[in-house]
Amino acid sequence: MITNGDIRIPQQLVVLAPELESHVAAFRDAVLNPEDDLGLPSALRWGVAAHIAGWLGDEELAAMYRRVCSVSKDAGFIPEEFPKDLEEILTAYAGKVTNAPRSISRGNIDDLVQAGLNTPQVVALSELIAFVNFECRIRMGLGTMDTMHG
């Protein structure tokens, strides 16, 4: 499980909005380590998060996500009702949302349902994708600010 000390919001943002760091950490826990995982194990969530961070060029964050995924107790667990390629299905959907969000259609959601996801699981996946995109883009923007001022 990630703790607040594992991923820190860049210091510039903490100075601008001190409460943001605790809010981001709380949201990270809510989407990646939820009390009720809805049948989407944390390891699966961390794995998808690692792909998203990698696609967005945040290798530090992607490596951290991969590290947590690899040590997660449920790393190999996928519920029996899901297809064996569930991780690939979720990762492909996350890639499309991350890299081509305007191309998402109702058919993409229907594909997730056909793969065995229910509505709460689709919502949880959407929250995960949105959060990791948010976190990476905040980090990217702050990195640009460092470049401009340094």
Side-chain angles (χ1 to χ4, degrees), residues 17 35 41 47 88 96 100 111 113 118 136 138:
E35 285 185 34
E88 291 82 18
K96 192 168 186 178
D111 291 343
V113 172
N118 59 35
C136 287
I138 287 288

Side-chain angles (χ1 to χ4, degrees), residues 11-125:
Q11 191 58 38
Q12 311 92 302
L13 191 55
V14 174
V15 170
L16 295 172
E19 70 284 353
L20 187 62
E21 186 167 17
S22 64
H23 293 311
V24 169
F27 194 44
R28 183 183 306 111
D29 282 343
V31 299
L32 294 171
N33 295 317
E35 285 185 34
D36 179 358
D37 70 8
L38 303 172
L40 294 176
S42 290
L44 197 59
R45 294 167 184 248
W46 287 101
V48 171
H51 285 289
I52 295 168
W55 294 323
L56 294 173
D58 193 330
E59 284 306 317
E60 178 185 4
L61 194 59
M64 188 281 309
Y65 284 148
R66 282 190 298 273
R67 179 182 56 78
V68 174
C69 181
S70 70
V71 299
S72 180
K73 289 183 232 176
D74 57 353
F77 175 75
I78 294 179
E80 287 182 18
E81 67 270 16
F82 289 125
K84 297 297 179 209
D85 60 348
L86 178 63
E87 187 170 2
E88 291 82 18
I89 292 167
L90 300 182
T91 300
Y93 177 74
K96 192 168 186 178
V97 171
T98 297
N99 298 310
R102 293 185 190 270
S103 71
I104 297 298
S105 69
R106 175 64 197 204
N108 299 114
I109 303 299
D110 292 341
D111 291 343
L112 294 174
V113 172
Q114 286 181 341
L117 271 66
N118 59 35
T119 300
Q121 291 168 328
V122 171
V123 171
L125 177 62

